[in-house]
Amino acid sequence: MGGATADRPRTARARSRRSVRAWIPPQHGVWAMLLLPYLAGLRYGAAWLDVPLLIGWLSGWLMSHHALLAVKTGRWRRVRSQVLTFGAVSAACLIPVVAMRPALAWFAPAFAVFVGVNAAFCRWGSERATLNGVASVTMASMMAMIVPVTAGLPWTTGVPIATVTWLYLTGTVVHVKAMIREYGSRRQQAISVTYHVVALVCATALQPWFAVPFSLMLARTVVMPRRPRMRAPVIGIVEVVLTLILLGFLLTVPLGAAAA
């Protein structure tokens, strides 16, 4: 009797977690990808339109996540409610923003292309491919240009931040692949280290202070794969810390228009 009673709360919690996961995917690292360019872009000027922009951006990603899941599995009924709900929220938030800032519409074709890339890889069953990950981080990095436009500034204002966030997020794709799916692969490790050396050079050319966070990224890429295999949450914590460090630099160091 006591055991059965004790099992009921656990069963209820498990059912609740499954219900939440049916709507919010347990991909913790993706939130850093979605928020970093947006938050960094705010340094060029925040506007009240940035609030519906953020809600529309996050709900739009959730809609696309479930839609791409349907593309992969062919089970539209399982995600129909999620796609319709998140799609409605995203449209309700973004349509007024675009109406007030028509220049934002120029980003739509680029998003359509990258979403098409995501859909193709999902259809092929290769959603974990590096190129697919790069397509996703490219869309996220574009938010660093969209936020300034929302504040009434030219899209070029956010190009430096978009470039830096893209360098970091793309590096995360290749690093995590070396740490999880291709752990122990010397080839993938070499690709990861080589990429981070190039990223360090490029970021430092934009702003010498970026040598600090990108050196840390290179160090974690060299050291972590040499240690015993790490659990995904530990890898994720390291990435969260690096994301926060990079965000601090993006918000404070002179960069592009911010330096004027």
Side-chain angles (χ1 to χ4, degrees):
M1 292 289 290
T5 302
D7 285 339
R8 289 174 187 169
R10 287 197 292 267
T11 302
R13 286 195 296 270
R15 191 179 298 115
S16 177
R17 284 196 296 269
R18 287 195 297 270
S19 178
V20 170
R21 289 182 178 184
W23 285 81
I24 309 297
Q27 299 178 10
H28 309 298
V30 78
W31 300 108
M33 177 189 77
L34 296 173
L35 291 173
L36 174 63
Y38 172 87
L39 294 174
L42 292 175
R43 74 171 288 172
Y44 292 128
W48 71 269
L49 284 175
D50 289 322
V51 176
L53 174 67
L54 177 61
I55 297 172
W57 166 235
L58 297 180
S59 57
W61 181 84
L62 288 168
M63 178 195 69
S64 68
H65 168 82
H66 292 289
L68 291 173
L69 186 62
V71 169
K72 178 183 177 181
T73 63
R75 298 176 179 177
W76 286 95
R77 288 186 177 182
R78 288 192 175 186
V79 297
R80 181 171 55 190
S81 296
Q82 291 90 327
V83 170
L84 293 176
T85 300
F86 289 125
V89 172
S90 183
C93 291
L94 295 182
I95 289 176
V97 175
V98 175
M100 297 187 71
R101 295 288 187 267
L104 291 172
W106 289 102
F107 289 95
F111 274 95
V113 170
F114 290 120
V115 169
V117 171
N118 288 162
F121 276 103
C122 284
R123 188 62 179 172
W124 299 331
S126 303
E127 64 275 11
R128 300 294 183 182
T130 299
L131 183 58
N132 191 45
V134 172
S136 296
V137 303
T138 302
M139 282 190 286
S141 298
M142 287 166 59
M143 286 301 296
M145 296 180 285
I146 290 174
V147 171
V149 173
T150 305
L153 300 172
W155 66 272
T156 51
T157 304
V159 169
I161 284 182
T163 301
V164 173
T165 56
W166 186 89
L167 288 171
Y168 166 59
L169 293 173
T170 300
T172 296
V173 172
V174 296
H175 169 67
V176 170
K177 191 168 187 178
M179 290 297 299
I180 298 179
R181 288 188 167 267
E182 295 194 27
Y183 177 77
S185 168
R186 292 185 178 180
R187 175 179 175 275
Q188 183 61 33
Q189 172 64 2
I191 291 173
S192 183
V193 171
T194 301
Y195 172 84
H196 280 84
V197 170
V198 174
L200 171 61
V201 172
C202 293
T204 303
L206 283 172
Q207 162 56 255
W209 276 108
F210 285 133
V212 177
F214 278 84
S215 292
L216 293 175
M217 297 169 201
L218 176 59
R220 67 91 154 82
T221 300
V222 172
V223 173
M224 288 177 63
R226 297 181 179 180
R227 299 180 61 83
R229 191 163 194 165
M230 298 179 179
R231 295 183 299 140
V234 176
I235 298 171
I237 290 172
V238 173
E239 295 308 308
V240 168
V241 172
L242 287 173
T243 299
L244 293 174
I245 291 173
L246 180 59
L247 178 60
F249 277 85
L250 286 170
L251 291 175
T252 57
V253 301
L255 182 63

